[in-house]
Amino acid sequence: MSDNYPNSSNWERETLHQLALASVKEQRRSRQWGIFFKSLGFLYLFIVLFYVTGWSEGSSASVEHTALIDINGVIGSDDVVNADTVIASLKSAYDSKGTKGIILRINSPGGSPVQAGMINDEIKRQRKLHPNIPVYAVVQDICASGGYYIAVAADKIYVDKASIVGSIGVLMDGFGFTGVMEKVGVERRLMTAGSNKAMLDPFSPVNPKHKEFAQQMLDQIHAQFITVVREGRGKRLKETPETFSGLFWSGESSVEMGLADAFGSSDYVAREVIKQENLVDFTAKEGLADRFAKRLGASVSASFLGKKFGLE
C-alpha cells in the first residue's frame, strides 16, 4: 500500500496541472472571443456613425450640387426643428465647396418666435457672406407663422398651388378654471412675492392689468414679425388689411399676394433655377440623447413658467 502513495500523489498533481492548464486555455479563449465581439461592436458603431454623420456623402458633396435642408415640423428649442440644428445645417451646406445653391424645404405650422428669428437672422448673415450662393425656400404642405418667418429670409419662395401659406400673427394660449373650481367647491390659495408673479394664472380670475400687459407684448412681437416680412419680401409684397391679420392662404393666392414668388418643387428649383439637379441633404439630425436632454430641460422650464406663447 505504501508503494502506491507516490504514484497516487503524482496522479493527483498531474490531474491538478491538467485542470489548471484547461482553465487557463478556457480563460484565454473567453478573452479572445470577448475581444472579437467588442471589435465587432466597435465596427458596427463606426459604420452607424459613418452614415449618420454623413461621412459617406463626402464624395458626392465634393462635386457640384444643390444643398437641401429640411425644416419639417414644429419650431422650438426642444423640437426637431430648432435654431441649433438648422444653423448647423446651413454652416455645413455653405462650407461644402460643391454647393451651388441651397434649398430650404419647409413643411412647418410654426412655433417659437425666438427660434424662427434666430434662423432668419443666420440665413441673412450667411447670404451676405456668400452672395454667389442663392437660398430658396420651397414650401410643401404648409409654411405658416414661424415657418413663414424663416422663409422670408430666402432669396425667393416657391410653393405648390395647394400649399398653405401665411398666418402672420402671434398668440398666447391658456385655460381658465375659475368657474369649475366654484362648482366643485375648490378654493384657490395662492401666495406670491411680487404683485405680478401670478400673471395669467389659470386658476384665478383674469386681471385686466395683466391682460393689457400681455397684449402689448404680443403686439410688439407681431410688429417684429411684420417688419421681418416687409424686409424679406420688399416691393413684391402686395399688402392688404388682411395680410398681417393671422389669416392663411393657398399657394396660388400667396403668389398673387406677393407672399411667394412662383410654383415649384425642390427638384424643379434645383434643376431649372439653380441649374444643378444633384441634391445633397445637409439636414443635421439630432441624436436621441440630445433630444432627450432638450425635452427634459424644456419640461423643467415649463413646470416653472407654466405658459406658452409663439408664432403658431
Side-chain angles (χ1 to χ4, degrees):
M1 294 292 293
S2 61
D3 292 340
N4 292 331
Y5 289 149
N7 292 334
S8 177
S9 179
N10 290 337
W11 179 82
E12 290 174 352
R13 283 199 299 270
E14 184 64 23
T15 301
L16 291 174
H17 178 69
Q18 293 298 329
L19 289 173
L21 286 177
S23 177
V24 170
K25 289 180 180 178
E26 184 63 29
Q27 290 177 2
R28 187 178 301 166
R29 190 179 298 110
S30 298
R31 283 198 300 269
Q32 290 173 345
W33 279 110
I35 293 171
F36 172 76
F37 284 115
K38 287 179 181 178
S39 300
L40 195 62
F42 280 122
L43 179 61
Y44 173 77
L45 291 175
F46 177 79
I47 293 173
V48 171
L49 183 64
F50 183 83
Y51 283 101
V52 168
T53 57
W55 293 349
S56 59
E57 294 180 351
S59 57
S60 61
S62 64
V63 299
E64 292 187 353
H65 60 268
T66 294
L68 177 67
I69 298 174
D70 275 319
I71 298 176
N72 189 5
V74 176
I75 304 162
S77 60
D78 60 324
D79 290 300
V80 175
V81 180
N82 59 73
D84 289 342
T85 54
V86 176
I87 289 174
S89 301
L90 285 167
K91 185 178 185 306
S92 297
Y94 277 110
D95 286 346
S96 177
K97 294 180 180 180
T99 298
K100 295 302 176 183
I102 297 174
I103 291 176
L104 305 174
R105 188 165 59 186
I106 302 175
N107 190 19
S108 173
S112 164
V114 176
Q115 297 294 310
M118 292 170 66
I119 295 169
N120 180 287
D121 290 341
E122 180 63 16
I123 294 170
K124 290 186 290 189
R125 188 184 77 86
Q126 291 284 7
R127 282 179 59 196
K128 289 180 180 179
L129 293 174
H130 306 87
N132 296 325
I133 300 178
V135 180
Y136 301 113
V138 176
V139 178
Q140 294 189 305
D141 295 307
I142 184 169
C143 180
S145 208
Y148 189 70
Y149 199 116
I150 294 172
V152 295
D155 291 286
K156 288 186 177 181
I157 300 174
Y158 290 84
V159 298
D160 182 86
K161 59 183 181 295
S163 299
I164 300 299
V165 181
S167 187
I168 304 171
V170 188
L171 66 80
M172 175 183 289
D173 58 359
F175 298 92
F177 300 99
T178 53
V180 176
M181 293 170 64
E182 290 175 1
K183 288 182 179 180
V184 299
V186 177
E187 178 186 0
R188 173 67 161 162
R189 295 175 180 174
L190 176 65
M191 296 179 290
T192 66
S195 59
N196 297 308
K197 186 61 179 177
M199 178 176 169
L200 301 181
D201 173 55
F203 301 102
S204 301
V206 176
N207 184 319
K209 176 184 174 182
H210 292 168
K211 182 179 179 181
E212 181 182 0
F213 180 87
Q215 188 60 55
Q216 290 176 354
M217 182 175 63
L218 292 174
D219 290 341
Q220 185 180 49
I221 298 174
H222 189 207
Q224 295 168 2
F225 194 176
I226 293 172
T227 298
V228 167
V229 173
R230 284 174 173 164
E231 289 177 350
R233 299 304 298 162
K235 295 180 180 179
R236 293 171 291 182
L237 185 66
K238 301 176 180 65
E239 287 190 32
T240 71
E242 303 296 339
T243 301
F244 304 120
S245 68
L247 286 177
F248 46 86
W249 298 271
S250 68
E252 184 175 3
S253 296
S254 71
V255 173
E256 296 172 358
M257 298 172 64
L259 293 171
D261 294 283
F263 303 130
S265 64
S266 299
D267 290 335
Y268 171 84
V269 173
R271 182 180 64 253
E272 303 296 335
V273 182
I274 300 176
K275 306 297 184 182
Q276 182 49 254
E277 59 182 332
N278 177 29
L279 282 166
V280 177
D281 192 351
F282 283 87
T283 309
K285 303 294 193 302
E286 277 192 323
L288 292 176
D290 293 333
R291 198 175 303 171
F292 174 77
K294 282 191 174 184
R295 291 190 179 278
L296 179 62
S299 298
V300 173
S301 298
S303 67
F304 284 100
L305 297 176
K307 298 292 183 288
K308 175 188 177 185
F309 66 93
L311 304 177
E312 300 180 317

